[in-house]
Amino acid sequence: MNYKNPDEHGYYGEFGGAFIPEMLYPNVEELQKNYLEIIESEEFQTEYQDLLKNYVGRATPLYFAKNLSAKYQTQIYLKREDLNHTGAHKINNALGQVLLAKRLGKTRIIAETGAGQHGVATATACALLGLECIVYMGEIDIQRQAPNVARMKMLGAEVVAATSGSKTLKDAVNEALRDWINNPVTTHYVIGSVVGPHPFPDLVARFQSIISKEIKEQLKEKIGRENPDYVIACVGGGSNAAGTFYHFVEEQEVKIIAAEAGGLGVNSGKSAATTFLGTLGVLHGSKSLVMQTEDGQVIEPHSISAGLDYPGIGPFHAHLFKEKRAEFFSINDDEALKCAFELTKLEGIIPALESAHALAVLDKKKFNENDIVVICLSGRGDKDMETYLKKLDAGN
Ligand SMILES: *Cc1c(COP(=O)(O)O)cnc(C)c1O
């Protein structure tokens, strides 16, 4: 079974494909035809790898968390994506796609963003590489995420409010797709996760796969073997998880665990746990699991972490779920919050709320004393300080 690569039409099992309006065919086909040849070329890789090393700060450390390990009676390693430039894994993909866009002769970049992390990463890559950048963001998110809006503006991006629907992430995606239809020749759409029409899920997974490539090398050096017993990551759309799982999915001895946002509880009506609540459907250009009503209306998701507040999941992960190659846990808001404070106290690391969902798996599953457990710490917590302070003021 091949979990890692989609077929030529972009399918992972029954999930994936490219479900797009006809007017988007030229843009998407141009990418489908060219992406592999360009990103696998030596010239591309030389420039990309140099930027990852000297600009982003890779390789990120694989840190043995001694205090956390003692508490949970197992061997826990944290993959420190929080130490990347701009504070999360998203820059790995944004830089890769902007480099690709340049090679396709594009001069203008568009992106969607929810909490603003992907918008900041894309605006950063555009400032560095000299491309025009327009970021679509829900009107409500613009109000909620003022610091990231300011960062994007300082980086030279134009932030455009999406004012339709619920005025959040999915509406921003729709606005970005509309822009792309109107500007097919000049513009590349930098999608921020392993979602969207083929080839985006594969393209983004390849750019994030550096995470598991490094984990293998670092484990080999630290413990003498490349494969851990477990890899764990949180899943919004699924890009940090795809990167963390990528080089392990074909290695049957490595167990794979994904943490979704349970919100206030899977059955509360305020949740974002797509594998628990979703059914087969099409969202933003690909067939996958989607939170929807019986007649196909997308259900508003909820999570305390903006990065996991998405009503779908990438086709790569839907396939891992369906085939039972990965085990999925649903982590509620309060469980994630507790683990964010715990990591801070035990290890002096303030994690992003998204990453805290991955940490919370430690409370849900018992690991053996000698198990090697690698957890992807996808980002740092600066952006979540307001939420954390509220919790502190309420007496933690
Ligand atoms: C955006 C984000 C996520 C969720 O996105 P994925 O594509 O699922 O990785 C997780 N963690 C952090 C820190 C993020 O910024």
Side-chain angles (χ1 to χ4, degrees):
M1 173 66 75
N2 183 351
Y3 293 105
K4 196 158 73 180
N5 300 119
D7 69 17
E8 60 180 313
H9 302 294
Y11 278 89
Y12 302 82
E14 66 186 290
F15 307 105
F19 295 80
I20 48 172
E22 208 168 312
M23 289 165 80
L24 269 180
Y25 285 179
N27 313 36
V28 171
E29 274 171 9
E30 181 185 29
L31 266 185
Q32 287 175 351
K33 278 204 192 96
N34 296 300
Y35 81 107
L36 278 181
E37 195 184 318
I38 293 175
I39 70 172
E40 283 175 351
S41 72
E42 201 184 316
E43 191 205 342
F44 181 93
Q45 280 299 325
T46 303
E47 187 174 2
Y48 181 51
Q49 296 300 333
D50 177 68
L51 286 175
L52 287 180
K53 180 167 180 236
N54 297 304
Y55 184 73
V56 176
R58 303 201 73 93
T60 58
L62 183 70
Y63 167 67
F64 176 64
K66 193 167 126 227
N67 301 326
L68 198 66
S69 297
K71 157 124 209 232
Y72 287 99
Q73 299 283 296
T74 191
Q75 310 296 312
I76 302 168
Y77 289 82
L78 301 176
K79 183 57 174 160
R80 299 288 309 275
E81 292 301 298
D82 59 316
L83 295 178
N84 284 326
H85 179 44
T86 68
H89 64 292
K90 292 213 168 70
I91 190 79
N92 303 328
N93 168 53
L95 260 183
Q97 283 202 50
V98 174
L99 281 176
L100 170 63
K102 274 194 99 160
R103 280 171 172 72
L104 287 169
K106 310 291 178 185
T107 55
R108 183 174 175 273
I109 294 294
I110 56 173
E112 86 294 339
T113 198
Q117 295 299 104
H118 173 57
V120 167
T122 306
T124 299
C126 287
L128 176 70
L129 298 166
L131 277 77
E132 187 186 352
C133 182
I134 294 101
V135 179
Y136 289 94
M137 190 168 185
E139 196 172 35
I140 289 182
D141 290 333
I142 289 179
Q143 290 158 13
R144 288 196 288 204
Q145 310 289 340
N148 273 343
V149 175
R151 288 165 86 195
M152 285 183 266
K153 286 187 176 160
M154 183 159 173
L155 287 160
E158 183 189 344
V159 180
V160 179
T163 55
S164 64
S166 53
K167 304 180 174 60
T168 58
L169 178 60
K170 72 173 169 46
D171 312 291
V173 175
N174 291 334
E175 290 295 328
L177 286 170
R178 200 163 303 150
D179 179 313
W180 207 22
I181 289 172
N182 291 327
N183 300 284
V185 179
T186 56
T187 300
H188 174 73
Y189 178 15
V190 177
I191 290 187
S193 191
V194 286
V195 299
H198 175 59
F200 281 106
D202 186 43
L203 178 65
V204 178
R206 282 169 191 264
F207 286 138
Q208 294 294 358
S209 70
I210 181 86
I211 299 173
S212 47
K213 179 166 177 278
E214 288 176 3
I215 292 172
K216 272 183 175 270
E217 292 162 2
Q218 290 165 324
L219 274 183
K220 177 90 182 167
E221 197 187 301
K222 284 176 199 290
I223 62 166
R225 62 176 165 105
E226 289 190 338
N227 288 347
D229 296 291
Y230 292 89
V231 283
I232 305 177
C234 67
V235 176
S239 68
N240 87 91
T244 305
F245 303 163
Y246 197 83
H247 291 290
F248 297 116
V249 283
E250 319 295 351
E251 315 257 10
Q252 284 303 326
E253 79 260 30
V254 182
K255 294 173 209 82
I256 292 175
I257 297 179
E260 285 186 305
L264 301 183
V266 167
N267 295 316
S268 66
K270 289 204 157 278
S271 179
T274 305
T275 59
F276 292 85
L277 299 169
T279 50
L280 192 65
V282 171
L283 180 66
H284 299 144
S286 70
K287 192 191 279 184
S288 191
L289 294 171
V290 182
M291 288 169 47
Q292 57 189 336
T293 61
E294 259 171 46
D295 49 0
Q297 293 293 327
V298 172
I299 294 171
E300 270 315 303
H302 165 84
S303 167
I304 193 171
S305 68
L308 304 184
D309 201 349
Y310 186 69
I313 186 175
F316 172 89
H317 296 291
H319 185 51
L320 295 182
F321 174 72
K322 180 89 189 287
E323 296 295 322
K324 299 192 165 58
R325 176 64 186 96
E327 187 178 4
F328 280 72
F329 286 90
S330 164
I331 307 296
N332 293 348
D333 290 352
D334 56 343
E335 296 168 330
L337 261 179
K338 180 209 144 214
C339 287
F341 278 88
E342 182 177 271
L343 184 74
T344 305
K345 242 179 223 146
L346 287 177
E347 299 285 350
I349 299 170
I350 302 178
L353 261 169
E354 290 84 358
S355 320
H357 286 70
L359 294 165
V361 170
L362 293 168
D363 273 328
K364 300 259 162 177
K365 189 175 175 88
K366 180 83 188 104
F367 298 97
N368 292 329
E369 216 173 313
N370 295 323
D371 282 344
I372 305 293
V373 180
V374 175
I375 302 177
C376 182
L377 207 68
S378 54
R380 59 177 176 240
D382 310 29
K383 67 184 180 59
D384 299 311
M385 286 317 295
E386 209 180 298
T387 310
Y388 291 155
L389 280 176
K390 252 186 230 153
K391 172 85 175 163
L392 271 179
D393 290 344
N396 188 20

